Amino acid sequence: MVAVEDISNIVIGRLPIYLRALSQLIEEGQSVTSSHELGERLGISSAQIRKDLSHFGEFGKQGTGYKVAHLYDQLRQILKIDREWRVAVVGVGDLGRALARYGGFVERGFRVTAVFDNDPQKIGTDLGDLTVMPMSALYNEITAQHIKIAMLAVPAAYAQSVCNDLVAAGVRAILNYAPITLNTPFNVHVQYIDPVAYLQQMTYYLDSDPMDSVVKDSGAAS
Amino acid sequence: MVAVEDISNIVIGRLPIYLRALSQLIEEGQSVTSSHELGERLGISSAQIRKDLSHFGEFGKQGTGYKVAHLYDQLRQILKIDREWRVAVVGVGDLGRALARYGGFVERGFRVTAVFDNDPQKIGTDLGDLTVMPMSALYNEITAQHIKIAMLAVPAAYAQSVCNDLVAAGVRAILNYAPITLNTPFNVHVQYIDPVAYLQQMTYYLDSDPMDSVVKDSGAAS
């Protein structure tokens, strides 16, 4: 076991993916797996998987593979999701609504317990088990609930300001859906979900068949 | 300029992030920038940015920085989003609805032009300018429109089967919101958006303060 600082973000980022595959194996009733099998399922090399896991101790013996349930439990402990984290959602547009109602959080360690918006039409309305609260209640509610995690689903123009409010209230992890890069103190972790950035990454690899897209302009520089 | 194969996915993945920052600079009326300034905004080292961009040619001169509009146009050409790509959305739950109605795609290279679901209650209903089509229409509609890109927002249990249908219809890039790893032919690109995986990656770095989370179990293995 090495210190937190020594393990790269990229390695940590793969652990939830391993966990997801292990969860699937458990559902399928499989009790033992191998780095080879996990690698096949995930499109990651078995050597990479063994190396990633070796940062955290010995999980399997050469030749006998990994005990699925044990590795699953260990990864949940390492990622600190062997408990349930309360999460705030800020912004109740289409996306915030989808996040607040999403059923897949609870079984994987997270429960949305507070939802905020600044629209008087939305404040006070019900969203699943929750009631949309005004932004003015954000500080008190988040501190009272000891919420450390928030999902930010407000328009880009408001994202930094809301981010500042969240950090002031003690939030230390933000999943940001607004397409801007946030400025945060060093002890606040931010992950970005920008579907367009993912799409743009894939079009790089697509053929330039004129039937498949509409050429709008050739760029101001050409 | 080097061949497509020589540039890692990780480098390509950063280009949309650079593009987003450049777009913001354009909005702010700034005409010249530097790898140092971009790095500050993005939390990426300036050396990394210079190295990434150097794969694609010379964009700036030592000491004079980058012309924002030129670099922006070049990156759009490299990523092939100097045109508009048609995109299909499959699955009209909360998330699919949010994706189909999201206004941020068009200005960044993508337009949702087909929406599918298998729920008779949803088929035929309007979603923005579009009408929800049945899954049985998927093949004909996607081939007729030459759609190469799809966003998959169906439950995990259906995701692989729908993925197969999309690939059969000619889709070559899939943004998958279902929390499973898809099997696809080598020439189909898949990106995954699993908010829980991002949350789990961040909890690794959070303190284990007992006030901040509810311990549910100590793991079956302990």
Side-chain angles (χ1 to χ4, degrees):
Chain A
M1 196 74 99
V2 298
V4 167
E5 296 72 34
D6 296 342
I7 301 169
S8 87
N9 230 318
I10 293 173
V11 174
I12 303 301
R14 280 192 290 261
L15 300 186
I17 311 302
Y18 300 158
L19 197 66
R20 211 169 60 193
L22 291 165
S23 161
Q24 213 173 332
L25 287 170
I26 289 171
E27 268 178 41
E28 294 168 15
Q30 198 172 321
S31 61
V32 176
T33 187
S34 64
S35 55
H36 181 78
E37 184 183 44
L38 284 174
E40 285 276 306
R41 283 188 175 230
L42 298 173
I44 298 174
S45 81
S46 57
Q48 184 70 66
I49 292 174
R50 286 194 300 274
K51 192 175 164 202
D52 286 351
L53 295 179
S54 71
H55 289 296
F56 304 96
E58 280 292 333
F59 294 114
K61 290 204 186 80
Q62 191 75 40
T64 65
Y66 302 111
K67 284 181 183 160
V68 174
H70 177 67
L71 185 55
Y72 178 77
D73 286 337
Q74 293 296 308
L75 287 181
R76 289 177 69 226
Q77 286 183 34
I78 290 166
L79 292 170
K80 303 203 184 99
I81 49 163
D82 53 347
R83 62 206 80 174
E84 187 172 280
W85 295 87
R86 290 179 289 278
V87 178
V89 170
V90 188
V92 186
D94 280 334
L95 176 67
R97 189 177 303 275
L99 291 170
R101 287 161 43 120
Y102 178 54
F105 288 124
V106 169
E107 63 200 26
R108 293 170 74 196
F110 302 91
R111 184 181 294 273
V112 176
T113 60
V115 185
F116 302 94
D117 202 288
N118 66 357
D119 181 347
Q121 300 284 325
K122 291 175 182 166
I123 294 165
T125 61
D126 287 344
L127 197 50
D129 298 338
L130 300 169
T131 300
V132 178
M133 283 178 281
M135 291 300 291
S136 57
L138 189 144
Y139 183 88
N140 284 343
E141 189 66 26
I142 284 186
T143 51
Q145 287 198 37
H146 288 261
I147 292 175
K148 297 295 161 189
I149 304 172
M151 295 191 275
L152 194 49
V154 302
Y158 300 102
Q160 184 63 55
S161 151
V162 173
C163 167
N164 296 348
D165 293 347
L166 289 168
V167 170
V171 165
R172 291 292 170 266
I174 297 173
L175 189 59
N176 178 31
Y177 283 85
I180 68 157
T181 301
L182 298 173
N183 293 313
T184 54
F186 75 96
N187 63 342
V188 175
H189 298 273
V190 183
Q191 292 280 340
Y192 296 87
I193 295 193
D194 177 0
V196 182
Y198 289 99
L199 293 174
Q200 291 177 339
Q201 185 173 351
M202 292 193 288
T203 48
Y204 174 80
Y205 297 100
L206 296 182
D207 294 332
S208 289
D209 186 327
M211 292 293 283
D212 298 342
S213 57
V214 182
V215 175
K216 290 163 66 190
D217 58 68
S218 57
S222 59
Chain B
M1 194 74 100
V2 300
V4 167
E5 296 72 38
D6 296 340
I7 301 170
S8 88
N9 230 315
I10 293 174
V11 174
I12 304 301
R14 279 192 290 262
L15 300 187
I17 311 302
Y18 300 159
L19 197 65
R20 211 168 60 194
L22 291 165
S23 161
Q24 214 173 329
L25 286 170
I26 289 171
E27 268 179 43
E28 295 167 15
Q30 197 171 321
S31 61
V32 176
T33 187
S34 64
S35 55
H36 182 77
E37 183 183 46
L38 284 174
E40 284 277 304
R41 285 190 173 226
L42 298 174
I44 298 173
S45 80
S46 57
Q48 183 70 67
I49 293 174
R50 285 195 301 273
K51 192 176 163 200
D52 286 351
L53 295 179
S54 71
H55 289 298
F56 304 97
E58 282 290 332
F59 295 112
K61 290 203 185 81
Q62 191 78 36
T64 65
Y66 302 111
K67 284 181 184 160
V68 173
H70 177 67
L71 185 54
Y72 178 78
D73 286 337
Q74 293 296 308
L75 287 182
R76 289 176 70 224
Q77 286 183 33
I78 291 166
L79 292 170
K80 303 198 184 107
I81 49 165
D82 52 347
R83 61 205 83 173
E84 187 172 280
W85 294 87
R86 288 177 292 277
V87 179
V89 171
V90 189
V92 185
D94 280 334
L95 176 67
R97 187 177 306 274
L99 290 170
R101 287 160 43 121
Y102 178 53
F105 288 123
V106 169
E107 63 198 29
R108 295 170 71 196
F110 303 92
R111 185 183 293 274
V112 176
T113 60
V115 185
F116 302 94
D117 201 288
N118 66 358
D119 180 348
Q121 300 285 324
K122 292 174 181 166
I123 294 164
T125 61
D126 286 344
L127 197 51
D129 298 339
L130 300 168
T131 301
V132 179
M133 283 179 279
M135 291 299 293
S136 57
L138 189 143
Y139 183 89
N140 284 345
E141 189 66 26
I142 284 185
T143 50
Q145 286 198 39
H146 289 262
I147 293 175
K148 297 294 163 191
I149 304 173
M151 295 191 275
L152 192 49
V154 303
Y158 301 102
Q160 184 63 56
S161 151
V162 173
C163 167
N164 296 347
D165 294 346
L166 289 167
V167 170
V171 165
R172 290 293 171 265
I174 297 174
L175 188 59
N176 177 32
Y177 283 84
I180 68 158
T181 301
L182 298 173
N183 293 312
T184 53
F186 75 96
N187 63 343
V188 176
H189 297 273
V190 183
Q191 291 280 340
Y192 296 87
I193 294 194
D194 176 0
V196 183
Y198 289 99
L199 293 174
Q200 291 177 338
Q201 185 174 353
M202 292 193 287
T203 49
Y204 174 81
Y205 297 99
L206 296 183
D207 296 331
S208 288
D209 186 328
M211 293 293 285
D212 298 343
S213 57
V214 182
V215 175
K216 291 163 66 189
D217 59 66
S218 57
S222 56

